[in-house]
Amino acid sequence: MAFGHDMVHSLATVVELVNTSPSTGGDERLADLAELRAFVRSRQVSGIGSLTPRDLMEVRRVREAFHRVFTAADQPTAVRTLNALIGETRITPRLTEHDGHPLHMHYFAADAALAEHLAADCGVALAHLLVEGEAERLRTCTAPDCDRVFVDESRNRSRVYCDSRTCGNRMHVAAYRARRRA
C-alpha cells in the first residue's frame, strides 16, 4: 500500500478519531473542548480557528459515521456510508505545503469547520482505499476485550490487533500461558 504523506496522515487521523469513541470499547475521549483541542494539536490538523461546543458535537457525529465505515458488513454498505458523509462536505481539492510537510493535497474548503475538514480529508483517504480494492484493510481489533479500529498496512494483510504492544502482546501471553497449562 503505497500512499503519499497526506493519505497516510489522513488514515492515521481517522483511526485515532474513531478510537476516541466509547463505541470502540473505551471511555469517551472527546468529552470536552479541551480534549478536542488536544486531538487537533496531536494530529496537526491545519487551518482550524477557535472551537465551539457545536464543533465538538459535529466531530462526534462524523466520528460515528467513520466508525460505521470501518465496521460495515460489506463494501457496498461502507461505500453508501462514506458517500453520505463526504456528500455533506464542500470538497475543494488544492495542493499545499505547510508545517514542514512536503507538497500534498487538501480536500476541505478553506473556511471549513473542523468536522467538515475531517470528513473531507479523511473521507477522501478512505474513499481511495475502497477504490483501490483495499477495503479489507479497514479492521477492528480481534482481541476479545477491544473494539478499536485500525488500517492494516502490513504487506500480506495479516495484522489482527490494533497494537502489537498492547492487545497483541496480551493475547500472545494468554496463549502461551494456556499452552503451558495444557
Side-chain angles (χ1 to χ4, degrees), residues 6-171:
D6 51 336
M7 293 293 291
V8 170
H9 185 266
S10 292
L11 290 171
T13 298
V14 73
V15 164
E16 189 169 326
L17 177 63
V18 171
N19 287 332
T20 65
S21 174
S23 300
T24 61
D27 294 329
E28 172 64 68
R29 291 186 19 232
L30 287 180
D32 55 31
L33 287 174
E35 289 183 342
L36 184 59
R37 282 187 204 96
F39 174 81
V40 167
R41 238 183 346 272
S42 75
R43 293 307 312 157
Q44 299 178 332
V45 180
S46 62
I48 300 301
S50 61
L51 297 171
T52 67
R54 179 177 171 89
D55 289 313
L56 180 60
M57 180 186 69
E58 286 297 309
V59 167
R60 285 178 180 162
R61 184 185 64 78
V62 166
R63 173 186 71 184
E64 295 313 313
F66 282 137
H67 186 253
R68 289 191 303 276
V69 171
F70 272 86
T71 59
D74 52 38
Q75 185 166 329
T77 303
V79 168
R80 277 191 305 279
T81 304
L82 194 52
N83 274 338
L85 181 61
I86 60 179
E88 297 172 356
T89 68
R90 299 167 292 149
I91 292 186
T92 310
R94 70 183 184 283
L95 292 166
T96 184
E97 290 179 288
H98 61 86
D99 300 323
H101 298 295
L103 189 64
H104 60 280
M105 292 290 293
H106 279 187
Y107 295 96
F108 56 92
D111 62 341
L114 177 59
E116 185 179 14
H117 176 135
L118 293 170
D121 267 5
C122 296
V124 167
L126 288 172
H128 280 288
L129 205 63
L130 295 176
V131 166
E132 293 296 322
E134 301 285 356
E136 72 277 358
R137 290 187 182 273
L138 301 178
R139 304 258 175 94
T140 302
C141 186
T142 61
D145 56 344
C146 182
D147 291 316
R148 292 173 55 95
V149 301
F150 63 95
V151 176
D152 180 1
E153 296 180 48
S154 68
R155 203 177 283 190
N156 63 357
R157 298 174 179 96
S158 62
R159 187 172 158 198
V160 295
Y161 302 118
C162 63
D163 185 0
S164 61
R165 292 171 305 219
T166 55
C167 290
N169 189 48
R170 192 173 63 249
M171 297 307 295

